[in-house]
Amino acid sequence: MLEEAEKWLSRRSWGVTDRSMAQLLHAKRAAGAAGSISVVLPALNEEATVGAIVEALRRDLMEDVPLIDELLVVDSGSTDRTSEVAAAAGAKVVHRDEILPRVPTLPGKGEVLWRSLLATTGEIICFVDADLRDFDSRFVSGTLGPLLTEPGVQLVKAMYDRPLGDQPSGARQGGRVTELVARPLLNLHWPQLAGVVQPLGGEYAARRSLLERLPFPVGYGVELGLLIDTLNVAGLDAVGQVDVGERKHRHQDGQALGRMSAAIMRTAQCRLPGTMLPSRIGLTQFQRTEDGGFAPETHPILADERPPMATIPEYTARQAA
C-alpha cells in the first residue's frame, strides 16, 4: 500500500463507538447552522424495507435524541407502495420528478442523489440505501460523527462486512463489484484511496459545501465518482471512514452486476486524463435460447453526469435567499 494511504488509514478510520451520542449532540449544538443534518434515502420499489429504516431513524435519532433535523425519502419512480410506507413511518417523501421539474429526469440512483441537494436544507447530508435489512441507526450516527467533530473531514464513508446470503460461511463475501472492479481501479489509478474499505457503499455523509461543487454521475458510478472527485477537490485528509459493523441487503444476479460494473468503469475512465470515450455506450450480454443457442442483448450504460449543483440557478437562488 502507498505510504500516504497507509498513514491515512490509521489517521482517518474510526469505529462506531469512538464517539458517544452526548459528544455528537454537543458538537452539533456548538456548530449551530453548520451542524444541521439531513438524511436522504433514495428509493425504488423498496416497500419491504424502507419503513423499518425510517422508523428506526425517526425513533432513535429524531425523537429519542435530536441529532437528525430532516428525514427525506426520494422516490425515483416506484411501482409499489414505497412512498406510502415511507410516509406512514414518518419520512418526508418527495418524488424525483417534483424536484427541479424544468430539467427532465434521467434514470439512476445518482440522479436522485443530485436532485436531493435541492430538496434538503441540512448543511450535512447523509445518504442511506433503502434496501437494508436489520438496520441499525448507528449506520447514520456513526457516519456523521467525524463530520461533527473533525473540521477537516468533508466526506465520510461507512465501512462494514457484507454477508453474501444468510449463511455464516458467506460472511465478508459480499461486495463483489467492489472487489473485482472498484478496488483494482482505485489501486491502479488512485492509490491514495486504496485504504477506503467500501468505496461503493451507499451509506455515507458529506458537507453540503463539498457536494454542491461536485458533478454527479447519474447511475451506479455515483459513489466512485464522488470519492475520486473529493480527493481531487479537497485532498485525501478530507475523506474518512467509520466501521459500523455488518450490512445486509438485497443481492443482484451476475448480469446485473456486470451492468453495474460497466457503469463504474465508465465513471472511472472519465476521470483519467486524456481518455476519449463515446457519449453513449452499451454492454452486450447473452441469454440461452430455447433452441440451445445464445442470443445477444445489449443494455445501455448510463454515462451521463449532472453538473455541480452550485451551477444550477434554482439552487443558487435558494441558497442566497
Side-chain angles (χ1 to χ4, degrees), residues 58-276:
R58 174 161 286 281
R59 179 189 64 242
D60 297 344
L61 302 181
M62 298 183 83
E63 296 171 357
D64 291 352
V65 296
L67 187 68
I68 295 173
D69 301 292
E70 185 177 40
L71 179 54
L72 179 70
V73 170
V74 183
D75 191 325
S76 59
S78 297
T79 56
D80 64 2
R81 297 182 61 253
T82 290
S83 290
E84 294 88 341
V85 170
K92 176 184 176 182
V93 179
V94 179
H95 194 281
R96 171 198 63 192
D97 297 349
E98 298 171 357
I99 307 170
L100 197 61
R102 74 167 177 85
V103 179
T105 56
L106 294 169
K109 177 185 179 183
E111 174 82 354
V112 175
L113 301 186
W114 179 73
R115 288 177 185 264
S116 75
L117 298 184
L118 193 52
T120 50
T121 59
E123 291 302 315
I124 296 173
I125 302 173
C126 182
F127 298 122
V128 180
D129 281 350
D131 66 342
L132 303 186
R133 297 183 287 114
D134 300 333
F135 178 77
D136 188 328
S137 61
R138 294 190 303 172
F139 267 49
V140 169
S141 59
T143 306
L144 290 169
L147 290 165
L148 291 170
T149 61
E150 301 284 340
V153 173
Q154 298 192 45
L155 171 70
V156 179
K157 301 283 292 186
M159 54 178 169
Y160 31 66
D161 292 326
R162 296 179 65 178
L164 184 59
D166 296 320
Q167 300 300 318
S169 61
R172 302 179 181 87
Q173 293 179 7
R176 290 162 287 173
V177 176
T178 293
E179 298 303 330
L180 297 175
V181 179
R183 202 176 308 288
L185 282 171
L186 291 177
N187 276 263
L188 286 169
H189 300 295
W190 297 276
Q192 296 140 294
L193 295 171
V196 179
V197 175
Q198 293 292 351
L200 302 183
E203 290 67 52
Y204 52 103
R207 302 189 193 279
R208 177 180 293 275
S209 58
L210 170 71
L211 293 174
E212 68 186 9
R213 293 185 289 153
L214 303 181
F216 275 61
V218 300
Y220 286 120
V222 62
E223 275 82 24
L224 188 71
L226 292 177
L227 181 61
I228 294 169
D229 291 344
T230 297
L231 173 68
N232 293 333
V233 167
L236 183 58
D237 260 7
V239 180
Q241 58 186 356
V242 175
D243 187 351
V244 297
E246 185 175 83
R247 182 186 196 264
K248 296 180 180 179
H249 67 120
R250 180 184 66 251
H251 292 279
Q252 302 192 56
D253 63 39
Q255 290 206 336
L257 295 180
R259 297 189 290 274
M260 183 186 301
S261 298
I264 290 165
M265 292 175 71
R266 166 62 187 243
T267 298
Q269 286 181 312
C270 287
R271 283 155 175 79
L272 291 173
T275 303
M276 299 294 293

Side-chain angles (χ1 to χ4, degrees), residues 272-318:
L272 291 173
T275 303
M276 299 294 293
L277 294 170
S279 59
R280 291 290 181 268
I281 60 172
L283 177 67
T284 300
Q285 298 175 311
F286 293 86
Q287 300 287 349
R288 177 72 77 173
T289 62
E290 293 183 359
D291 63 5
F294 286 97
E297 184 175 0
T298 299
H299 302 268
I301 301 301
L302 294 175
D304 300 88
E305 298 204 8
R306 291 302 192 183
M309 185 57 79
T311 66
I312 302 300
E314 291 88 341
Y315 181 81
T316 55
R318 191 200 74 168

Side-chain angles (χ1 to χ4, degrees), residues 15-81:
V16 72
T17 60
D18 286 349
R19 298 169 179 83
S20 68
M21 186 59 68
Q23 287 176 293
L24 298 185
L25 290 174
H26 175 76
K28 174 183 171 65
R29 295 186 184 110
S36 58
I37 296 169
S38 298
V39 175
V40 175
L41 278 72
L44 177 63
N45 295 328
E46 303 294 357
E47 68 171 304
T49 50
V50 69
I53 298 172
V54 170
E55 287 175 1
L57 290 173
R58 174 161 286 281
R59 179 189 64 242
D60 297 344
L61 302 181
M62 298 183 83
E63 296 171 357
D64 291 352
V65 296
L67 187 68
I68 295 173
D69 301 292
E70 185 177 40
L71 179 54
L72 179 70
V73 170
V74 183
D75 191 325
S76 59
S78 297
T79 56
D80 64 2
R81 297 182 61 253

